[in-house]
Amino acid sequence: MSSDPVIVSACLLGLSTRYDGKDALNEEVCSLLKGRLIVPVCPEQLGGLPTPRPKAEITAGDGTDVLCGLSRAVDENGEDVTSKFMKGAAETLKAALLTGAQEAYLKDRSPSCGVSLICRRGERIKGMGVTAAMLMKEGIKVTGF
Ligand code: SF4
């Protein structure tokens, strides 16, 4: 079993970091992490957003487009939170570099952490969140749960 550090979406570990103030505890993730050095992160909190907070989504494309400046993250009140999402992604990358983590277990369907799916107008669509896209761009292996 590997003891290498791994970045993990804090909500998957049972921390109440979600936009609605709840967690997304995932027993499979906790079991896979036995013996690993866990680095819990919530990119949206690291970006300076409060908890609870208004739900946000990526307006077009996915997190890769946000990184390129081609799309934005906007909350349900119409506030542009792109800079907060970008900061949270950068801080998460910083945590990975500080700890030497080469892998990240992330909460799928989130506009920050989504690995294969994000949500738009209540629908699940293929795409990555902003943090997942940034970590992958930097060569970190991302797995969604
Ligand atoms: S930003 Fe990521 S870690 Fe934070 S609550 Fe959303 S899915 Fe969980």
Side-chain angles (χ1 to χ4, degrees):
M1 184 180 293
S2 166
S3 60
D4 292 346
V6 54
I7 295 283
V8 186
S9 294
C11 58
L12 289 175
L13 298 168
L15 300 177
S16 303
T17 56
R18 275 173 45 130
Y19 72 93
D20 56 5
K22 296 180 180 167
D23 67 72
L25 178 63
N26 184 308
E27 303 287 358
E28 181 194 0
V29 169
C30 294
S31 150
L32 286 170
L33 287 169
K34 287 209 172 87
R36 301 288 298 269
L37 174 60
I38 300 167
V39 185
V41 295
C42 174
E44 292 177 20
Q45 290 186 342
L46 286 168
L49 290 166
T51 303
R53 54 188 170 276
K55 198 172 187 176
E57 62 182 37
I58 295 168
T59 53
D62 74 351
T64 311
D65 300 294
V66 176
L67 292 184
C68 300
L70 297 173
S71 184
R72 298 176 300 137
V74 173
D75 75 19
E76 60 193 336
N77 299 326
E79 186 176 339
D80 190 325
V81 288
T82 306
S83 63
K84 303 262 177 44
F85 271 55
M86 292 290 281
K87 181 170 184 224
E91 293 288 298
T92 300
L93 176 60
K94 203 190 286 182
L97 296 174
L98 278 169
T99 57
Q102 294 290 316
E103 194 176 4
Y105 289 180
L106 300 175
K107 169 77 175 68
D108 224 347
R109 303 181 294 283
S110 152
S112 292
C113 295
V115 171
S116 57
L117 293 169
I118 56 174
C119 294
R120 183 172 300 127
R121 292 182 215 98
E123 302 279 322
R124 291 178 182 182
I125 58 170
K126 284 186 182 174
M128 304 189 88
V130 178
T131 293
M134 185 179 285
L135 295 180
M136 196 181 77
K137 185 165 163 271
E138 296 298 324
I140 294 168
K141 183 183 172 198
V142 292
T143 306
F145 292 89

